[in-house]
Amino acid sequence: GGGIIMASLHPFYNYITDLKYDGNRMPVLFIGHGSPMNGIENNEYSQTWAELGKSIPTPKAVLVISAHWLSAGTKITAMNNPKTIHDFGGFPQELFDVQYPAPGNPDLALETKKLITTTNVDMDHDWGLDHGTWTVVRHMYPKADIPVLQLSIDYYKPAEYHYNLAAQLADLRKKGVLIIGSGNMVHNLIMVAWDKMNTNYGFDWAHEMNIIFKDKIGNADHKALMNYEKLHKAATLAIPTPDHYWPMIYSLALRDKKDDVTFFNDSFVGGSLTMTSFMYS
């Protein structure tokens, strides 16, 4: 254990099919979710998510930390039937029509709240499943028969706070809960080259940052990743605001020393976004 496995799409399929779940812990994912359109498109990203859902052990529940639920304080969805949130504009009606009626799990919400001792966690009945969650999870679990919860990100806190909070969730891995951080490592919407959206094109600085991120993740240099501003001069281009980066910090904190790390969907969109994702297992 504890190794790095680099995976392009199809070898990744083979690798995850061979995964042996020892019953001790569920995998942890960080998923680059990209455009909301990935929620309805059949493309390399959504195909990999679907393959993941078939290949990893079936979870008892899914807990997602999405870049799109930022709050003051930490909250967890605690309703029986979370609504599908269409938190975007300017997309085709087909995307707004999507409903992902996965159940919630108030008991698990309460159990999660009790695990987190560093802050009070509010039981939330207003949010639901935003596009950082359902665009990915509906491909993994299309029957919507597995409970899905979201944990919010306290936007006013630093990386170390998020890392320490997330580490307290490790017990959930042993109880069949799949934890997913959903964001994007390189996420600069202002600099997107819209004419290069459908090609694997990345600006030079995005390539540099992607290499650095993978290196630090592979070597478990979490301290460097928490102090991301000091990683490289391009870090502020990759992470102009930390909303899409914080979910990765949650995933990092849940690494077990025995885990291997597998990278997948390792590609660029529009020059200034990466879909690069990883799994601890």
Side-chain angles (χ1 to χ4, degrees):
I4 307 173
I5 293 153
M6 295 297 292
S8 64
L9 266 174
H10 297 294
F12 174 65
Y13 287 177
N14 299 337
Y15 170 69
I16 56 178
T17 310
D18 295 340
L19 259 185
K20 299 291 182 281
Y21 178 51
D22 58 8
N24 289 335
R25 59 188 190 281
M26 283 294 289
V28 171
L29 299 172
F30 171 73
I31 291 186
H33 66 245
S35 165
M37 288 300 290
N38 293 322
I40 56 172
E41 287 178 353
N42 179 21
N43 59 30
E44 61 179 303
Y45 310 123
S46 62
Q47 286 166 14
T48 304
W49 300 339
E51 194 63 38
L52 262 176
K54 293 181 192 133
S55 306
I56 65 177
T58 304
K60 296 192 174 110
V62 180
L63 176 64
V64 182
I65 298 92
S66 162
H68 297 281
W69 192 15
L70 308 172
S71 58
T74 300
K75 306 179 181 195
I76 191 165
T77 53
M79 66 288 281
N80 284 310
N81 299 104
K83 62 178 183 265
T84 305
I85 302 172
H86 301 90
D87 50 337
F88 40 71
F91 288 95
Q93 186 58 40
E94 186 189 354
L95 194 61
F96 289 91
D97 291 342
V98 172
Q99 293 294 319
Y100 186 69
N105 186 329
D107 291 341
L108 178 59
L110 188 60
E111 186 177 347
T112 306
K113 171 187 169 80
K114 287 176 180 165
L115 285 175
I116 297 170
T117 58
T118 48
T119 189
N120 179 53
V121 177
D122 290 329
M123 303 288 274
D124 179 90
H125 294 89
D126 299 321
W127 198 251
L129 306 180
D130 61 49
H131 84 265
T133 295
W134 64 258
T135 60
V136 174
V137 178
R138 77 184 296 252
H139 288 293
M140 294 179 71
Y141 305 112
K143 293 180 183 166
D145 54 352
I146 294 170
V148 182
L149 289 76
Q150 280 196 219
L151 184 71
S152 79
I153 297 171
D154 186 338
Y155 198 58
Y156 302 95
K157 295 288 196 287
E160 194 173 0
Y161 176 90
H162 297 296
Y163 189 87
N164 293 337
L165 188 155
Q168 298 170 69
L169 303 174
D171 271 1
L172 295 178
R173 290 187 67 183
K174 299 171 188 163
K175 296 182 176 179
V177 178
L178 175 65
I179 302 175
I180 303 174
S182 176
N184 290 91
M185 288 184 212
V186 175
H187 187 264
N188 190 324
L189 293 180
I190 293 166
M191 295 183 71
V192 166
W194 294 104
D195 57 330
K196 295 191 170 71
M197 285 301 283
N198 296 320
T199 60
N200 184 9
Y201 174 76
F203 296 126
D204 288 348
W205 59 262
H207 277 277
E208 285 181 62
M209 288 307 304
N210 197 46
I211 290 165
I212 291 167
F213 285 145
K214 287 190 295 182
D215 177 60
K216 299 296 184 194
I217 293 162
N219 291 311
D221 189 354
H222 296 173
K223 193 152 273 188
L225 290 162
M226 284 192 272
N227 297 312
Y228 64 88
E229 303 95 329
K230 296 176 183 155
L231 274 177
H232 187 273
K233 61 181 187 295
T236 50
L237 291 174
I239 311 163
T241 58
D243 44 303
H244 276 70
Y245 188 76
W246 287 156
M248 185 182 81
I249 297 292
Y250 282 75
S251 301
L252 292 175
L254 287 158
R255 172 184 172 264
D256 185 283
K257 286 191 169 53
K258 295 179 190 153
D259 283 330
D260 290 323
V261 61
T262 312
F263 292 95
F264 59 97
N265 281 351
D266 187 10
S267 62
F268 300 82
V269 177
S272 61
L273 304 170
T274 60
M275 295 296 287
T276 307
S277 307
F278 62 84
M279 172 170 64
Y280 288 134
S281 60

